């Protein structure tokens, strides 16, 4: 098994302006309590995470409506390094699968949050759907540029019925075919959730 999940730790970079990750103990054996108990405060878009369509389309599905069948099954890892934007021309040159993960060259550890990364052209999102792709995975923190407000990539994926898995740790993973297991926390009514993602 290959763990393609980003580490979560105090100070882990999050989207600028989003809620930082914090873990605190509310009970400690060392302080006389019978158990150690912690609490977490964080964004739902922490590290490796699954977007629910409701995140970018107000009428979209919330997290509990994302089918598990999309998140488990055969997948393909594609090398997309050097692509400023994911285009139809590039997609025609690679092999795709129902679940396709794109390695763009992002490191598995972000010292600071990346401000430039590969985004997805809306036409590419539609092309992926036409080729039978149901889950788009990326090592980038978003499918749109950091400064985008209208989110054309996200909305194109929503219109095409393709789900988005962001923030994967794909550095060192060979291109090829795998089985993907990428299960989010079961957060009812949520816009996203962290995911533990592995390849077999």
């Amino acid at each position: 098994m290959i763990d393609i999940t980003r580490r979560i730790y105090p100070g882990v970079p999050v989207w600028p302006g989003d809620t930082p990750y914090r873990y605190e103990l509310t009970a400690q054996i060392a302080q006389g309590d019978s158990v150690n108990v912690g609490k977490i405060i964080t964004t739902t878009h922490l590290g490796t995470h699954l977007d629910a369509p409701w995140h970018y389309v107000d009428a979209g599905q919330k997290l509990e409506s994302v089918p598990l069948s999309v998140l488990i099954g055969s997948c393909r890892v594609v090398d997309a390094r050097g692509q400023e934007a994911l285009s139809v021309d590039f997609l025609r040159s690679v092999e795709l699968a129902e679940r396709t993960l794109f390695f763009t060259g992002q490191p598995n550890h972000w010292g600071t949050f990346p401000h430039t990364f590969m985004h997805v052209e809306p036409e590419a999102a539609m092309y992926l759907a036409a080729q039978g792709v149901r889950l788009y995975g990326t090592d980038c923190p978003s499918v749109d540029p950091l400064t985008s407000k209208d989110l054309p990539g996200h909305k194109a994926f929503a219109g095409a019925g393709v789900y988005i898995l962001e923030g994967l740790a794909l550095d060192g993973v060979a291109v090829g075919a795998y089985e993907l297991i990428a299960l989010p926390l079961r957060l009812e009514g949520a816009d996203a959730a962290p995911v533990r993602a592995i390849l077999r």
Side-chain angles (χ1 to χ4, degrees), residues 64-83:
E64 66 269 21
S65 298
V66 178
L68 292 180
S69 60
V70 171
L71 307 174
I72 302 175
S74 59
C75 83
R76 186 151 199 93
V77 174
V78 170
D79 189 340
R81 285 176 291 181
Q83 305 300 310

Side-chain angles (χ1 to χ4, degrees), residues 64-126:
E64 66 269 21
S65 298
V66 178
L68 292 180
S69 60
V70 171
L71 307 174
I72 302 175
S74 59
C75 83
R76 186 151 199 93
V77 174
V78 170
D79 189 340
R81 285 176 291 181
Q83 305 300 310
E84 181 179 338
L86 190 67
S87 66
V88 173
D89 283 347
F90 173 77
L91 291 173
R92 289 191 176 118
S93 71
V94 298
E95 189 173 345
L96 301 171
E98 184 177 359
R99 301 159 198 85
T100 305
L101 314 181
F102 290 82
F103 171 54
T104 73
Q106 289 288 330
N108 289 346
H109 174 79
W110 288 326
T112 58
F113 195 84
H115 282 222
T116 57
F117 42 83
M118 186 188 79
H119 64 276
V120 179
E121 296 177 353
E123 298 80 10
M126 302 302 292

Side-chain angles (χ1 to χ4, degrees), residues 7-178:
R7 291 172 44 238
I8 297 173
Y9 54 90
V12 61
V14 298
W15 192 273
D18 208 344
T19 306
Y21 168 76
R22 195 162 85 239
Y23 172 80
E24 299 175 358
L25 284 170
T26 57
Q28 299 182 56
I29 296 172
Q31 300 293 326
D33 297 311
S34 59
V35 290
N36 291 315
V37 177
K39 70 175 182 179
I40 56 174
I41 301 170
T42 188
T43 172
T44 51
H45 297 261
L46 181 67
T48 304
H49 65 276
L50 177 73
D51 280 354
W54 185 57
H55 170 50
Y56 38 88
V57 177
D58 205 33
Q61 295 172 302
K62 294 184 179 178
L63 189 67
E64 66 269 21
S65 298
V66 178
L68 292 180
S69 60
V70 171
L71 307 174
I72 302 175
S74 59
C75 83
R76 186 151 199 93
V77 174
V78 170
D79 189 340
R81 285 176 291 181
Q83 305 300 310
E84 181 179 338
L86 190 67
S87 66
V88 173
D89 283 347
F90 173 77
L91 291 173
R92 289 191 176 118
S93 71
V94 298
E95 189 173 345
L96 301 171
E98 184 177 359
R99 301 159 198 85
T100 305
L101 314 181
F102 290 82
F103 171 54
T104 73
Q106 289 288 330
N108 289 346
H109 174 79
W110 288 326
T112 58
F113 195 84
H115 282 222
T116 57
F117 42 83
M118 186 188 79
H119 64 276
V120 179
E121 296 177 353
E123 298 80 10
M126 302 302 292
Y127 179 85
L128 287 167
Q131 303 307 306
V133 175
R134 299 179 67 208
L135 180 71
Y136 172 86
T138 177
D139 57 354
C140 299
S142 179
V143 300
D144 284 299
L146 185 74
T147 57
S148 177
K149 299 301 181 189
D150 52 356
L151 306 178
H154 281 88
K155 290 176 180 176
F157 276 126
V162 177
Y163 296 96
I164 303 169
L165 183 61
E166 295 170 332
L168 293 165
L170 294 173
D171 193 9
V173 177
V175 168
Y178 297 89

